[in-house]
Amino acid sequence: EPEVTQTPSHQVTQMGQEVILRCVPISNHLYFYWYRQILGQKVEFLVSFYNNEISEKSEIFDDQFSVERPDGSNFTLKIRSTKLEDSAMYFCASSGGQALYEQYFGPGTRLTVT
Amino acid sequence: GQQLNQSPQSMFIQEGEDVSMNCTSSSIFNTWLWYKQDPGEGPVLLIALYKAGELTSNGRLTAQFGITRKDSFLNISASIPSDVGIYFCAGREGGADGLTFGKGTHLIIQP
């Protein structure tokens, strides 16, 4: 069964460094999303991406964040200058086809900012 | 932003018991989704609901989209040990892409 994959599974970085989190969405999906989950809390929407542009973003998704689809398979989230409070699980999701609003999540990347 | 109230926060049940959890919102949602999350993993989609009043089953799981479009419930019948985990409701407002998640119901099954 097709699934969303994410790399790396765990990223440790120092405050102020740039990080890029990578995702490979389900191949026939056209909508891509990033969410984050701070430890012990609910999942929060960051951004959605369709047709090579951002279609919606939340208040969390400020100028420090950017997304890109560099090729036909990858979808990335970049955090320009990480802060301690960026430490969280970051989930990529995708949707498409007949079940347009059914979002399928990847296993996540645990980002630890020290 | 939009808030979802999910209850109960946690449930301690015996294996074989039925489980019920629900979510309510102050605003209308066009789509309700239920996910299960195991520790250290991503949410796994269980059931998707699209119409007010819709009742959908997936094995031992049954979910309903409330008539007012402001609530949804999930029932699990005859619970088994692998049902342990955190269950999240998620709603999508009309015109929005992103999902709003509830805070989760932590299901613990006692042997």
Side-chain angles (χ1 to χ4, degrees):
Chain A
E1 185 172 321
E3 57 184 20
V4 176
T5 59
Q6 291 185 242
T7 55
S9 57
H10 191 188
Q11 174 90 46
V12 181
T13 188
Q14 289 190 328
M15 194 167 51
Q17 295 296 305
E18 174 184 287
V19 294
I20 297 176
L21 310 183
R22 291 181 167 80
C23 166
V24 178
I26 294 173
S27 62
N28 66 338
H29 283 179
L30 299 177
Y31 293 82
F32 315 119
Y33 314 84
W34 283 102
Y35 290 80
R36 80 171 185 191
Q37 185 179 34
I38 295 171
L39 184 64
Q41 299 187 23
K42 66 178 182 178
V43 178
E44 298 175 292
F45 169 70
L46 294 178
V47 65
S48 60
F49 191 87
Y50 171 71
N51 200 25
N52 281 321
E53 61 183 20
I54 290 173
S55 55
E56 185 186 2
K57 60 183 180 180
S58 72
E59 293 177 350
I60 303 169
F61 193 88
D62 61 22
D63 292 343
Q64 293 284 71
F65 293 91
S66 62
V67 290
E68 188 179 29
R69 186 148 165 86
D71 54 43
S73 60
N74 290 282
F75 179 52
T76 62
L77 174 70
K78 181 193 293 187
I79 308 175
R80 190 169 302 118
S81 177
T82 51
K83 304 187 284 286
L84 293 176
E85 54 265 37
D86 292 329
S87 295
M89 283 288 284
Y90 287 81
F91 294 108
C92 174
S94 69
S95 67
Q98 291 185 338
L100 185 59
Y101 300 116
E102 294 180 14
Q103 297 184 19
Y104 292 87
F105 283 72
T109 293
R110 178 173 299 282
L111 176 65
T112 303
V113 182
T114 62
Chain B
Q2 183 58 259
Q3 296 289 326
L4 286 185
N5 296 311
Q6 185 171 351
S7 64
Q9 185 175 5
S10 59
M11 299 184 72
F12 295 79
I13 64 167
Q14 299 285 337
E15 183 177 348
E17 287 185 19
D18 295 343
V19 171
S20 184
M21 60 192 78
N22 69 84
C23 276
T24 59
S25 167
S26 57
S27 297
I28 288 172
F29 283 124
N30 284 4
T31 308
W32 281 98
L33 302 163
W34 284 92
Y35 288 88
K36 178 175 183 278
Q37 185 178 32
D38 291 327
E41 299 184 12
V44 174
L45 181 62
L46 300 174
I47 292 180
L49 302 158
Y50 296 98
K51 297 179 184 178
E54 178 182 353
L55 187 71
T56 297
S57 293
N58 178 8
R60 293 179 295 106
L61 278 61
T62 301
Q64 184 160 29
F65 193 138
I67 293 290
T68 65
R69 295 168 64 192
K70 294 182 179 181
D71 63 321
S72 177
F73 72 74
L74 174 71
N75 287 343
I76 305 172
S77 63
S79 58
I80 59 177
S82 61
D83 291 335
V84 165
I86 302 177
Y87 292 79
F88 289 97
C89 62
R92 187 189 66 85
E93 295 180 75
D97 296 336
L99 299 176
T100 300
F101 277 77
K103 293 184 177 180
T105 294
H106 192 177
L107 181 60
I108 299 163
I109 298 178
Q110 298 170 327

